[in-house]
Amino acid sequence: MTTRRPRSIEVDGITHGNAPIPMGARVGNTIYSSGIMGRDPANDTLPGDAASQAKFVFQNLRTLLRNGGATLEDVVHVKAYIQNNSLRELLNAEWLACFPDPHDRPARHTMVMDLPMGMLIQIEIVAVVSDSSR
């Protein structure tokens, strides 16, 4: 019998409230995230301003990847959700800090939609972990 390692990946300090959902899952060399929100991992609260939420979204992304044995270089696809189109600039600022090379960025699709519980920005990612990330 082969023992399979657990697939759930968490970000310390961040929860999905009462929902029994991990922050992400790794199967083989692939990582899929749940919705990565802009909660502050120091106290699991959601700041009221979009700039802070955007900062924490990408900070939480980095932590999720690190906890899953990956890096930003392994991200191949990002789905971004924003409350309204005026938040695109804040999203893009954090995006460019993570992925500065215009020739080496993951694919991204951004959707404007109502987000629950005061969220203004949220992302989901898919990452394919390279051998050098392990």
Side-chain angles (χ1 to χ4, degrees):
M1 175 188 267
T2 332
T3 305
R4 182 171 71 80
R5 78 178 223 199
R7 67 180 148 209
S8 295
I9 307 168
E10 300 297 346
V11 173
D12 291 339
I14 304 293
T15 67
H16 278 98
N18 293 328
I21 302 169
M23 193 60 66
R26 178 170 174 167
V27 178
N29 70 331
T30 309
I31 294 174
Y32 299 89
S33 78
S34 298
I36 302 172
M37 73 242 13
R39 288 183 168 276
D40 181 345
N43 54 25
D44 198 23
T45 60
L46 189 66
D49 67 294
S52 295
Q53 285 191 32
K55 178 186 87 168
F56 285 125
V57 161
F58 285 92
Q59 177 182 315
N60 294 335
L61 167 61
R62 289 181 189 94
T63 302
L64 172 75
L65 292 169
R66 184 175 55 251
N67 291 349
T71 69
L72 288 169
E73 293 175 353
D74 297 313
V75 177
V76 296
H77 187 259
V78 176
K79 272 189 195 170
Y81 306 94
I82 54 178
Q83 185 75 27
N84 62 63
N85 232 358
S86 68
L87 302 175
R88 197 174 291 265
E89 286 183 44
L90 294 171
L91 174 69
N92 286 342
E94 295 297 331
W95 170 265
L96 291 171
C98 286
F99 308 108
D101 184 347
H103 304 291
D104 189 22
R105 292 184 180 135
R108 183 179 108 186
H109 181 67
T110 303
M111 294 165 275
V112 176
M113 64 184 297
D114 285 333
L115 294 168
M117 301 177 286
M119 282 187 281
L120 302 171
I121 297 175
Q122 184 183 58
I123 65 170
E124 296 176 25
I125 63 99
V126 175
V128 178
V129 184
S130 67
D131 289 336
S132 61
S133 296
R134 294 178 192 204

Short mmCIF file of all heavy atoms in Angstrom, two decimals, residues 11-76:
data_model
loop_
_atom_site.label_atom_id
_atom_site.label_comp_id
_atom_site.label_asym_id
_atom_site.label_seq_id
_atom_site.Cartn_x
_atom_site.Cartn_y
_atom_site.Cartn_z
N VAL A 11 -2.47 28.66 4.52
CA VAL A 11 -1.72 29.88 4.79
C VAL A 11 -1.99 30.19 6.25
O VAL A 11 -3.14 30.48 6.62
CB VAL A 11 -2.17 31.05 3.88
CG1 VAL A 11 -1.48 32.34 4.30
CG2 VAL A 11 -1.87 30.72 2.41
N ASP A 12 -0.97 30.08 7.08
CA ASP A 12 -1.15 30.32 8.52
C ASP A 12 -1.80 31.67 8.76
O ASP A 12 -1.38 32.68 8.19
CB ASP A 12 0.19 30.25 9.26
CG ASP A 12 0.76 28.84 9.30
OD1 ASP A 12 -0.01 27.88 9.14
OD2 ASP A 12 1.98 28.71 9.50
N GLY A 13 -2.83 31.66 9.60
CA GLY A 13 -3.51 32.89 9.97
C GLY A 13 -4.70 33.23 9.10
O GLY A 13 -5.46 34.14 9.42
N ILE A 14 -4.90 32.52 7.99
CA ILE A 14 -6.00 32.81 7.08
C ILE A 14 -6.98 31.65 7.08
O ILE A 14 -6.58 30.49 6.97
CB ILE A 14 -5.50 33.03 5.63
CG1 ILE A 14 -4.46 34.13 5.57
CG2 ILE A 14 -6.66 33.31 4.69
CD1 ILE A 14 -4.98 35.50 5.89
N THR A 15 -8.26 31.96 7.19
CA THR A 15 -9.29 30.94 7.10
C THR A 15 -10.34 31.35 6.09
O THR A 15 -10.38 32.51 5.65
CB THR A 15 -10.00 30.73 8.47
OG1 THR A 15 -10.74 31.93 8.77
CG2 THR A 15 -9.01 30.43 9.58
N HIS A 16 -11.18 30.43 5.75
CA HIS A 16 -12.36 30.71 4.92
C HIS A 16 -13.57 30.80 5.84
O HIS A 16 -14.65 30.29 5.54
CB HIS A 16 -12.56 29.61 3.88
CG HIS A 16 -11.71 29.77 2.66
ND1 HIS A 16 -10.54 29.11 2.48
CD2 HIS A 16 -11.88 30.55 1.57
CE1 HIS A 16 -10.01 29.45 1.32
NE2 HIS A 16 -10.80 30.33 0.75
N GLY A 17 -13.39 31.45 6.99
CA GLY A 17 -14.48 31.54 7.96
C GLY A 17 -14.81 30.17 8.49
O GLY A 17 -13.92 29.43 8.89
N ASN A 18 -16.07 29.82 8.48
CA ASN A 18 -16.49 28.51 8.97
C ASN A 18 -16.48 27.44 7.90
O ASN A 18 -16.79 26.28 8.17
CB ASN A 18 -17.91 28.61 9.56
CG ASN A 18 -17.92 29.45 10.82
OD1 ASN A 18 -16.94 29.48 11.56
ND2 ASN A 18 -19.01 30.15 11.05
N ALA A 19 -16.16 27.80 6.67
CA ALA A 19 -16.16 26.83 5.57
C ALA A 19 -14.95 25.91 5.68
O ALA A 19 -13.83 26.38 5.89
CB ALA A 19 -16.16 27.55 4.23
N PRO A 20 -15.14 24.62 5.54
CA PRO A 20 -14.04 23.65 5.65
C PRO A 20 -13.25 23.52 4.34
O PRO A 20 -13.20 22.48 3.72
CB PRO A 20 -14.77 22.35 5.99
CG PRO A 20 -16.09 22.49 5.29
CD PRO A 20 -16.43 23.96 5.36
N ILE A 21 -12.64 24.63 3.93
CA ILE A 21 -11.96 24.70 2.64
C ILE A 21 -10.48 25.03 2.85
O ILE A 21 -10.17 26.02 3.51
CB ILE A 21 -12.60 25.80 1.76
CG1 ILE A 21 -14.09 25.54 1.57
CG2 ILE A 21 -11.88 25.91 0.43
CD1 ILE A 21 -14.83 26.71 0.95
N PRO A 22 -9.57 24.24 2.28
CA PRO A 22 -8.16 24.61 2.36
C PRO A 22 -7.88 25.80 1.44
O PRO A 22 -8.65 26.09 0.53
CB PRO A 22 -7.43 23.36 1.89
CG PRO A 22 -8.38 22.72 0.95
CD PRO A 22 -9.76 23.02 1.49
N MET A 23 -6.76 26.46 1.63
CA MET A 23 -6.39 27.57 0.77
C MET A 23 -5.97 27.07 -0.61
O MET A 23 -6.08 27.78 -1.60
CB MET A 23 -5.25 28.38 1.41
CG MET A 23 -5.01 29.71 0.74
SD MET A 23 -6.41 30.85 0.74
CE MET A 23 -6.60 31.18 2.46
N GLY A 24 -5.50 25.83 -0.67
CA GLY A 24 -5.12 25.26 -1.95
C GLY A 24 -4.88 23.77 -1.81
O GLY A 24 -4.97 23.21 -0.72
N ALA A 25 -4.57 23.15 -2.94
CA ALA A 25 -4.28 21.72 -2.95
C ALA A 25 -3.16 21.45 -3.94
O ALA A 25 -3.11 22.06 -5.00
CB ALA A 25 -5.53 20.93 -3.34
N ARG A 26 -2.28 20.54 -3.55
CA ARG A 26 -1.22 20.10 -4.45
C ARG A 26 -1.40 18.62 -4.74
O ARG A 26 -1.52 17.82 -3.83
CB ARG A 26 0.16 20.35 -3.85
CG ARG A 26 1.27 19.86 -4.78
CD ARG A 26 2.63 20.26 -4.38
NE ARG A 26 3.59 19.61 -5.27
CZ ARG A 26 4.85 19.94 -5.35
NH1 ARG A 26 5.33 20.90 -4.60
NH2 ARG A 26 5.65 19.30 -6.16
N VAL A 27 -1.42 18.31 -6.01
CA VAL A 27 -1.45 16.93 -6.46
C VAL A 27 -0.33 16.78 -7.47
O VAL A 27 -0.32 17.47 -8.50
CB VAL A 27 -2.82 16.56 -7.08
CG1 VAL A 27 -2.81 15.12 -7.57
CG2 VAL A 27 -3.94 16.77 -6.08
N GLY A 28 0.62 15.92 -7.14
CA GLY A 28 1.78 15.77 -8.01
C GLY A 28 2.52 17.09 -8.09
O GLY A 28 2.84 17.71 -7.06
N ASN A 29 2.76 17.57 -9.29
CA ASN A 29 3.49 18.83 -9.45
C ASN A 29 2.55 20.00 -9.77
O ASN A 29 3.00 21.03 -10.25
CB ASN A 29 4.55 18.69 -10.55
CG ASN A 29 3.96 18.58 -11.93
OD1 ASN A 29 2.84 18.09 -12.11
ND2 ASN A 29 4.71 19.02 -12.92
N THR A 30 1.26 19.84 -9.47
CA THR A 30 0.29 20.88 -9.78
C THR A 30 -0.35 21.43 -8.50
O THR A 30 -0.71 20.66 -7.61
CB THR A 30 -0.82 20.33 -10.69
OG1 THR A 30 -0.21 19.69 -11.81
CG2 THR A 30 -1.72 21.43 -11.19
N ILE A 31 -0.47 22.75 -8.42
CA ILE A 31 -1.15 23.41 -7.30
C ILE A 31 -2.34 24.18 -7.84
O ILE A 31 -2.23 24.89 -8.85
CB ILE A 31 -0.20 24.39 -6.57
CG1 ILE A 31 0.94 23.62 -5.89
CG2 ILE A 31 -0.96 25.25 -5.55
CD1 ILE A 31 2.00 24.50 -5.26
N TYR A 32 -3.47 23.99 -7.17
CA TYR A 32 -4.70 24.72 -7.47
C TYR A 32 -5.08 25.47 -6.20
O TYR A 32 -5.11 24.88 -5.12
CB TYR A 32 -5.84 23.78 -7.85
CG TYR A 32 -5.54 22.95 -9.07
CD1 TYR A 32 -4.90 21.72 -8.96
CD2 TYR A 32 -5.88 23.42 -10.33
CE1 TYR A 32 -4.62 20.96 -10.08
CE2 TYR A 32 -5.60 22.67 -11.46
CZ TYR A 32 -4.96 21.44 -11.33
OH TYR A 32 -4.68 20.69 -12.44
N SER A 33 -5.38 26.74 -6.33
CA SER A 33 -5.78 27.48 -5.13
C SER A 33 -7.29 27.53 -5.03
O SER A 33 -8.01 27.40 -6.02
CB SER A 33 -5.25 28.92 -5.16
OG SER A 33 -6.03 29.73 -6.02
N SER A 34 -7.75 27.75 -3.81
CA SER A 34 -9.12 28.20 -3.59
C SER A 34 -9.08 29.70 -3.81
O SER A 34 -8.07 30.24 -4.29
CB SER A 34 -9.54 27.88 -2.16
OG SER A 34 -9.50 26.48 -1.93
N GLY A 35 -10.12 30.41 -3.46
CA GLY A 35 -10.09 31.86 -3.58
C GLY A 35 -9.10 32.45 -2.59
O GLY A 35 -9.20 32.22 -1.38
N ILE A 36 -8.10 33.15 -3.10
CA ILE A 36 -7.10 33.79 -2.25
C ILE A 36 -7.56 35.21 -2.01
O ILE A 36 -7.62 36.03 -2.92
CB ILE A 36 -5.70 33.78 -2.89
CG1 ILE A 36 -5.27 32.35 -3.20
CG2 ILE A 36 -4.69 34.48 -1.98
CD1 ILE A 36 -3.99 32.25 -4.00
N MET A 37 -7.92 35.49 -0.77
CA MET A 37 -8.46 36.80 -0.44
C MET A 37 -7.41 37.67 0.24
O MET A 37 -6.35 37.19 0.62
CB MET A 37 -9.70 36.64 0.45
CG MET A 37 -9.35 36.22 1.83
SD MET A 37 -9.89 34.68 2.60
CE MET A 37 -10.54 33.57 1.55
N GLY A 38 -7.74 38.93 0.41
CA GLY A 38 -6.82 39.90 0.98
C GLY A 38 -6.91 40.02 2.48
O GLY A 38 -6.83 41.13 3.02
N ARG A 39 -7.06 38.90 3.17
CA ARG A 39 -7.08 38.91 4.64
C ARG A 39 -5.67 39.10 5.17
O ARG A 39 -4.71 38.58 4.61
CB ARG A 39 -7.67 37.62 5.19
CG ARG A 39 -9.15 37.49 4.99
CD ARG A 39 -9.65 36.18 5.64
NE ARG A 39 -11.08 36.14 5.70
CZ ARG A 39 -11.80 36.70 6.67
NH1 ARG A 39 -11.21 37.34 7.65
NH2 ARG A 39 -13.11 36.62 6.66
N ASP A 40 -5.56 39.80 6.27
CA ASP A 40 -4.29 40.01 6.96
C ASP A 40 -3.98 38.76 7.76
O ASP A 40 -4.74 38.41 8.67
CB ASP A 40 -4.40 41.24 7.87
CG ASP A 40 -3.13 41.56 8.61
OD1 ASP A 40 -2.21 40.71 8.68
OD2 ASP A 40 -3.05 42.67 9.15
N PRO A 41 -2.90 38.05 7.47
CA PRO A 41 -2.60 36.81 8.20
C PRO A 41 -2.23 37.03 9.67
O PRO A 41 -2.25 36.09 10.45
CB PRO A 41 -1.45 36.19 7.42
CG PRO A 41 -0.84 37.31 6.67
CD PRO A 41 -1.93 38.31 6.42
N ALA A 42 -1.95 38.26 10.05
CA ALA A 42 -1.62 38.53 11.45
C ALA A 42 -2.84 38.39 12.35
O ALA A 42 -2.71 38.07 13.53
CB ALA A 42 -1.02 39.93 11.60
N ASN A 43 -4.04 38.63 11.77
CA ASN A 43 -5.25 38.57 12.61
C ASN A 43 -6.48 38.05 11.88
O ASN A 43 -7.59 38.12 12.40
CB ASN A 43 -5.54 39.96 13.20
CG ASN A 43 -5.62 41.02 12.12
OD1 ASN A 43 -5.92 40.74 10.97
ND2 ASN A 43 -5.36 42.26 12.51
N ASP A 44 -6.31 37.52 10.67
CA ASP A 44 -7.40 36.94 9.87
C ASP A 44 -8.55 37.91 9.65
O ASP A 44 -9.71 37.52 9.61
CB ASP A 44 -7.90 35.63 10.50
CG ASP A 44 -8.71 34.77 9.52
OD1 ASP A 44 -8.52 34.92 8.31
OD2 ASP A 44 -9.53 33.96 9.99
N THR A 45 -8.22 39.19 9.49
CA THR A 45 -9.26 40.19 9.21
C THR A 45 -9.08 40.74 7.80
O THR A 45 -7.97 40.74 7.26
CB THR A 45 -9.22 41.36 10.21
OG1 THR A 45 -7.94 42.00 10.13
CG2 THR A 45 -9.48 40.88 11.63
N LEU A 46 -10.16 41.20 7.26
CA LEU A 46 -10.16 41.77 5.92
C LEU A 46 -10.13 43.29 6.04
O LEU A 46 -11.08 43.89 6.55
CB LEU A 46 -11.42 41.33 5.17
CG LEU A 46 -11.49 41.65 3.70
CD1 LEU A 46 -10.43 40.88 2.92
CD2 LEU A 46 -12.88 41.32 3.18
N PRO A 47 -9.04 43.94 5.60
CA PRO A 47 -9.01 45.40 5.66
C PRO A 47 -10.14 45.99 4.80
O PRO A 47 -10.56 45.40 3.82
CB PRO A 47 -7.64 45.76 5.06
CG PRO A 47 -6.84 44.51 5.07
CD PRO A 47 -7.82 43.38 5.02
N GLY A 48 -10.58 47.18 5.16
CA GLY A 48 -11.66 47.82 4.44
C GLY A 48 -11.24 48.48 3.14
O GLY A 48 -12.07 48.77 2.30
N ASP A 49 -9.92 48.70 2.97
CA ASP A 49 -9.48 49.42 1.77
C ASP A 49 -8.89 48.45 0.74
O ASP A 49 -8.27 47.44 1.08
CB ASP A 49 -8.45 50.49 2.13
CG ASP A 49 -7.16 49.91 2.65
OD1 ASP A 49 -7.18 49.30 3.74
OD2 ASP A 49 -6.13 50.04 1.96
N ALA A 50 -9.10 48.77 -0.52
CA ALA A 50 -8.70 47.91 -1.62
C ALA A 50 -7.18 47.76 -1.75
O ALA A 50 -6.69 46.70 -2.10
CB ALA A 50 -9.29 48.43 -2.93
N ALA A 51 -6.43 48.83 -1.47
CA ALA A 51 -4.97 48.75 -1.60
C ALA A 51 -4.39 47.72 -0.64
O ALA A 51 -3.53 46.92 -1.01
CB ALA A 51 -4.34 50.13 -1.34
N SER A 52 -4.87 47.70 0.60
CA SER A 52 -4.40 46.71 1.57
C SER A 52 -4.83 45.31 1.17
O SER A 52 -4.06 44.35 1.27
CB SER A 52 -4.93 47.02 2.97
OG SER A 52 -4.40 48.23 3.44
N GLN A 53 -6.06 45.19 0.70
CA GLN A 53 -6.53 43.87 0.26
C GLN A 53 -5.68 43.35 -0.89
O GLN A 53 -5.28 42.18 -0.90
CB GLN A 53 -8.00 43.91 -0.14
CG GLN A 53 -8.95 43.99 1.03
CD GLN A 53 -10.39 43.78 0.62
OE1 GLN A 53 -10.70 43.05 -0.32
NE2 GLN A 53 -11.30 44.42 1.34
N ALA A 54 -5.37 44.20 -1.85
CA ALA A 54 -4.54 43.79 -2.99
C ALA A 54 -3.17 43.33 -2.51
O ALA A 54 -2.64 42.31 -2.96
CB ALA A 54 -4.41 44.93 -4.00
N LYS A 55 -2.58 44.09 -1.58
CA LYS A 55 -1.26 43.73 -1.05
C LYS A 55 -1.31 42.35 -0.38
O LYS A 55 -0.46 41.50 -0.62
CB LYS A 55 -0.81 44.80 -0.04
CG LYS A 55 0.53 44.50 0.61
CD LYS A 55 0.86 45.50 1.69
CE LYS A 55 0.23 45.01 2.98
NZ LYS A 55 0.62 45.67 4.18
N PHE A 56 -2.34 42.13 0.45
CA PHE A 56 -2.44 40.86 1.16
C PHE A 56 -2.79 39.70 0.24
O PHE A 56 -2.35 38.56 0.47
CB PHE A 56 -3.43 40.95 2.31
CG PHE A 56 -2.91 41.70 3.51
CD1 PHE A 56 -3.62 42.78 4.02
CD2 PHE A 56 -1.72 41.35 4.12
CE1 PHE A 56 -3.14 43.48 5.13
CE2 PHE A 56 -1.23 42.04 5.22
CZ PHE A 56 -1.95 43.11 5.72
N VAL A 57 -3.56 39.95 -0.82
CA VAL A 57 -3.86 38.88 -1.78
C VAL A 57 -2.55 38.29 -2.31
O VAL A 57 -2.35 37.08 -2.31
CB VAL A 57 -4.73 39.40 -2.95
CG1 VAL A 57 -4.66 38.46 -4.15
CG2 VAL A 57 -6.17 39.58 -2.51
N PHE A 58 -1.65 39.15 -2.75
CA PHE A 58 -0.42 38.66 -3.35
C PHE A 58 0.58 38.18 -2.30
O PHE A 58 1.36 37.27 -2.57
CB PHE A 58 0.17 39.70 -4.30
CG PHE A 58 -0.61 39.75 -5.59
CD1 PHE A 58 -1.67 40.64 -5.74
CD2 PHE A 58 -0.32 38.89 -6.63
CE1 PHE A 58 -2.41 40.67 -6.91
CE2 PHE A 58 -1.05 38.91 -7.81
CZ PHE A 58 -2.11 39.80 -7.95
N GLN A 59 0.53 38.74 -1.10
CA GLN A 59 1.35 38.20 0.00
C GLN A 59 0.88 36.78 0.33
O GLN A 59 1.69 35.87 0.51
CB GLN A 59 1.23 39.09 1.23
CG GLN A 59 1.98 38.57 2.44
CD GLN A 59 1.80 39.48 3.65
OE1 GLN A 59 1.88 40.69 3.55
NE2 GLN A 59 1.54 38.87 4.80
N ASN A 60 -0.43 36.59 0.40
CA ASN A 60 -0.98 35.27 0.70
C ASN A 60 -0.71 34.28 -0.42
O ASN A 60 -0.49 33.09 -0.18
CB ASN A 60 -2.48 35.37 1.01
CG ASN A 60 -2.73 36.15 2.29
OD1 ASN A 60 -1.89 36.22 3.17
ND2 ASN A 60 -3.90 36.77 2.38
N LEU A 61 -0.69 34.78 -1.67
CA LEU A 61 -0.31 33.93 -2.79
C LEU A 61 1.11 33.41 -2.61
O LEU A 61 1.37 32.21 -2.76
CB LEU A 61 -0.42 34.70 -4.11
CG LEU A 61 0.24 34.04 -5.33
CD1 LEU A 61 -0.38 32.70 -5.65
CD2 LEU A 61 0.20 34.99 -6.52
N ARG A 62 2.04 34.30 -2.30
CA ARG A 62 3.44 33.89 -2.11
C ARG A 62 3.56 32.84 -1.00
O ARG A 62 4.30 31.86 -1.13
CB ARG A 62 4.32 35.10 -1.78
CG ARG A 62 4.55 36.03 -2.94
CD ARG A 62 5.46 37.19 -2.50
NE ARG A 62 5.57 38.22 -3.48
CZ ARG A 62 4.81 39.32 -3.52
NH1 ARG A 62 3.89 39.55 -2.60
NH2 ARG A 62 4.98 40.22 -4.47
N THR A 63 2.83 33.05 0.09
CA THR A 63 2.87 32.10 1.21
C THR A 63 2.30 30.75 0.79
O THR A 63 2.87 29.70 1.10
CB THR A 63 2.11 32.66 2.43
OG1 THR A 63 2.71 33.90 2.80
CG2 THR A 63 2.17 31.69 3.60
N LEU A 64 1.17 30.77 0.11
CA LEU A 64 0.57 29.52 -0.37
C LEU A 64 1.55 28.75 -1.25
O LEU A 64 1.76 27.55 -1.07
CB LEU A 64 -0.71 29.82 -1.16
CG LEU A 64 -1.33 28.63 -1.88
CD1 LEU A 64 -2.04 27.73 -0.87
CD2 LEU A 64 -2.26 29.07 -2.96
N LEU A 65 2.16 29.44 -2.19
CA LEU A 65 3.12 28.79 -3.07
C LEU A 65 4.30 28.21 -2.29
O LEU A 65 4.69 27.06 -2.51
CB LEU A 65 3.62 29.78 -4.13
CG LEU A 65 2.59 30.21 -5.16
CD1 LEU A 65 3.12 31.39 -5.97
CD2 LEU A 65 2.17 29.06 -6.07
N ARG A 66 4.86 29.00 -1.39
CA ARG A 66 5.98 28.53 -0.57
C ARG A 66 5.59 27.29 0.22
O ARG A 66 6.32 26.29 0.25
CB ARG A 66 6.48 29.64 0.35
CG ARG A 66 7.70 29.27 1.18
CD ARG A 66 8.25 30.42 2.00
NE ARG A 66 7.25 31.03 2.87
CZ ARG A 66 6.69 32.24 2.70
NH1 ARG A 66 7.05 33.00 1.68
NH2 ARG A 66 5.80 32.69 3.55
N ASN A 67 4.40 27.31 0.83
CA ASN A 67 3.93 26.17 1.62
C ASN A 67 3.66 24.95 0.75
O ASN A 67 3.67 23.82 1.26
CB ASN A 67 2.69 26.54 2.43
CG ASN A 67 3.00 27.52 3.54
OD1 ASN A 67 4.17 27.78 3.85
ND2 ASN A 67 1.97 28.08 4.14
N GLY A 68 3.43 25.16 -0.53
CA GLY A 68 3.21 24.06 -1.46
C GLY A 68 4.46 23.64 -2.21
O GLY A 68 4.41 22.79 -3.10
N GLY A 69 5.60 24.26 -1.89
CA GLY A 69 6.85 23.91 -2.53
C GLY A 69 7.03 24.54 -3.90
O GLY A 69 7.72 24.00 -4.77
N ALA A 70 6.44 25.71 -4.10
CA ALA A 70 6.49 26.38 -5.39
C ALA A 70 6.93 27.83 -5.24
O ALA A 70 7.11 28.32 -4.12
CB ALA A 70 5.11 26.32 -6.05
N THR A 71 7.05 28.52 -6.36
CA THR A 71 7.39 29.93 -6.39
C THR A 71 6.47 30.63 -7.39
O THR A 71 5.73 29.98 -8.13
CB THR A 71 8.86 30.17 -6.83
OG1 THR A 71 8.98 29.82 -8.21
CG2 THR A 71 9.83 29.35 -5.98
N LEU A 72 6.58 31.94 -7.45
CA LEU A 72 5.81 32.71 -8.42
C LEU A 72 6.12 32.27 -9.86
O LEU A 72 5.25 32.33 -10.73
CB LEU A 72 6.10 34.21 -8.28
CG LEU A 72 5.52 34.89 -7.04
CD1 LEU A 72 6.09 36.29 -6.89
CD2 LEU A 72 4.00 34.93 -7.11
N GLU A 73 7.33 31.81 -10.10
CA GLU A 73 7.71 31.36 -11.44
C GLU A 73 6.92 30.14 -11.90
O GLU A 73 6.85 29.85 -13.09
CB GLU A 73 9.20 31.06 -11.49
CG GLU A 73 10.05 32.30 -11.33
CD GLU A 73 11.54 31.98 -11.26
OE1 GLU A 73 11.91 30.79 -11.20
OE2 GLU A 73 12.32 32.94 -11.24
N ASP A 74 6.31 29.42 -10.96
CA ASP A 74 5.54 28.22 -11.29
C ASP A 74 4.09 28.52 -11.64
O ASP A 74 3.37 27.64 -12.13
CB ASP A 74 5.59 27.23 -10.12
CG ASP A 74 7.00 26.74 -9.84
OD1 ASP A 74 7.70 26.37 -10.80
OD2 ASP A 74 7.40 26.73 -8.66
N VAL A 75 3.62 29.74 -11.38
CA VAL A 75 2.22 30.10 -11.65
C VAL A 75 2.02 30.18 -13.16
O VAL A 75 2.75 30.88 -13.86
CB VAL A 75 1.85 31.44 -10.98
CG1 VAL A 75 0.41 31.83 -11.33
CG2 VAL A 75 2.02 31.34 -9.47
N VAL A 76 1.00 29.45 -13.65
CA VAL A 76 0.72 29.44 -15.09
C VAL A 76 -0.59 30.13 -15.44
O VAL A 76 -0.78 30.54 -16.58
CB VAL A 76 0.73 28.01 -15.67
CG1 VAL A 76 2.11 27.39 -15.54
CG2 VAL A 76 -0.32 27.14 -15.03
#
